[in-house]
Amino acid sequence: MRLTIAALMGALMLAACGGESAPNPYPQSAQERFSMSCPPESAVCTCTWDKITRTVTYDEYEAALARFRETGLMDPRITRARTQCLERHRE
């Protein structure tokens, strides 16, 4: 019994430590559109796409792109993902 409780507590602690979540499902066409302006050969672009798909759902991503086209303002979560990748993968 103690072992089970200890295992559950350990799993909860690991989850709370900020382990990355699984990517949200996106259609292949979304990644292809992204790759037109940010090539997958770039470590920054690969990192950015991965962070975006883990941070926002596809619907949120599409809404962010629509807002960007209308207002010129990008969703802060997407900007943060790009900035983190630029800092991590200086090209």
Side-chain angles (χ1 to χ4, degrees):
M1 181 71 166
R2 285 184 182 182
L3 185 59
T4 302
I5 292 172
L8 286 173
M9 292 300 293
L12 288 173
M13 287 173 54
L14 283 175
C17 287
E20 286 197 272
S21 60
N24 291 298
Y26 276 65
Q28 182 63 32
S29 60
Q31 185 172 11
E32 290 168 0
R33 283 192 316 268
F34 179 83
S35 295
M36 292 173 76
S37 63
C38 201
E41 297 81 32
S42 163
V44 171
C45 293
T46 301
C47 174
T48 301
W49 180 252
D50 182 64
K51 285 202 172 291
I52 288 171
T53 61
R54 291 175 189 277
T55 304
V56 297
T57 65
Y58 174 66
D59 290 339
E60 292 170 328
Y61 176 72
E62 286 296 311
L65 291 179
R67 266 191 313 275
F68 181 72
R69 286 185 205 104
E70 293 170 12
T71 67
L73 300 173
M74 184 49 75
D75 184 302
R77 297 171 296 174
I78 293 174
T79 301
R80 191 175 310 112
R82 175 90 172 143
T83 301
Q84 288 172 350
C85 291
L86 284 169
E87 291 171 352
R88 187 173 298 141
H89 301 281
R90 298 193 188 272
E91 294 182 342

